[in-house]
Amino acid sequence: MLHVCPLSRLEDTLSSASPSHVLSLVSPGTEVNLPAKTKPAHHLVLKFNDIAQARDGLLAPNRTHVERMLDFSRDVAHKGSLLVHCWAGVSRSTAAAYVIACSTLPNTDERALAQHLRKVSPVATPNPLLISLADTLLHRNGRMIQSINELGRGADTFEGNQFSLDPAALIELA
């Protein structure tokens, strides 16, 4: 199971979802404190700014970030559950959820998966740079980024909703 939430809902989501692993996507300088029961090997923190292209003074997501995210999530997809969060739960975490779902289900139609993401999170506006990098790494030939571009911006919001994606249910989208 894949869970997504903003940082403000992290504690509640940890309690309600009881994920085996946590992926934190935060800006440099942001600290994430998880309960002591979370094993350090089960928590990956990737620090980069939520930007879609390089900007002076900010750290853009890069290929190494996506590779680490995919490596971390690979085993979890088959052996546990993963909670992904970012600051607002709108851009970085929804991009990561889409990327991880595409990686876990390589035969799933990218467009159908993007539309499902919008259904469960009307505010989802996945970071296009993360999607583009993953599209290349996963050899999706532009289909991931095209699907996200077609999806467009989600509803305006200050903060995203908590939602879950069940890989077993997503197989139907293939």
Side-chain angles (χ1 to χ4, degrees):
M1 185 70 77
L2 181 60
H3 308 280
V4 179
C5 72
L7 182 60
S8 68
R9 303 269 320 268
L10 179 59
E11 194 172 316
D12 290 342
T13 308
L14 284 168
S15 178
S16 64
S18 299
S20 60
H21 293 69
V22 178
L23 174 60
S24 300
L25 307 172
V26 295
S27 297
T30 301
E31 293 301 318
V32 179
N33 297 308
L34 296 181
K37 69 178 184 176
T38 305
K39 298 175 185 175
H42 291 193
H43 183 210
L44 177 63
V45 179
L46 297 177
K47 294 189 176 194
F48 54 87
N49 295 100
D50 186 15
I51 55 177
Q53 57 188 345
R55 289 178 39 194
D56 287 342
L58 298 177
L59 179 60
N62 60 49
R63 181 182 178 104
T64 301
H65 292 124
V66 178
E67 288 171 339
R68 290 187 65 204
M69 176 178 64
L70 289 170
D71 288 344
F72 181 74
S73 65
R74 192 166 287 116
D75 288 338
V76 179
H78 303 289
K79 300 177 187 172
S81 62
L82 176 63
L83 169 59
V84 181
H85 78 89
C86 62
W87 181 262
V90 174
S91 182
R92 287 174 286 192
S93 59
T94 61
Y98 180 74
V99 167
I100 292 165
C102 283
S103 175
T104 304
L105 303 165
N107 297 321
T108 300
D109 178 71
E110 297 86 356
R111 182 174 285 115
L113 187 54
Q115 291 169 349
H116 181 73
L117 178 65
R118 175 56 51 76
K119 181 180 175 183
V120 296
S121 181
V123 302
T125 306
N127 180 293
L129 183 51
L130 277 174
I131 301 298
S132 180
L133 291 163
D135 193 307
T136 299
L137 285 168
L138 296 174
H139 307 287
R140 294 296 184 112
N141 302 315
R143 294 186 307 271
M144 288 173 65
I145 191 63
Q146 180 181 350
S147 297
I148 293 300
N149 286 339
E150 289 172 2
L151 189 67
R153 182 175 176 78
D156 286 339
T157 188
F158 171 75
E159 186 173 80
N161 56 302
Q162 186 279 334
F163 65 91
S164 300
L165 297 173
D166 180 359
L170 295 177
I171 291 173
E172 297 172 7
L173 299 175

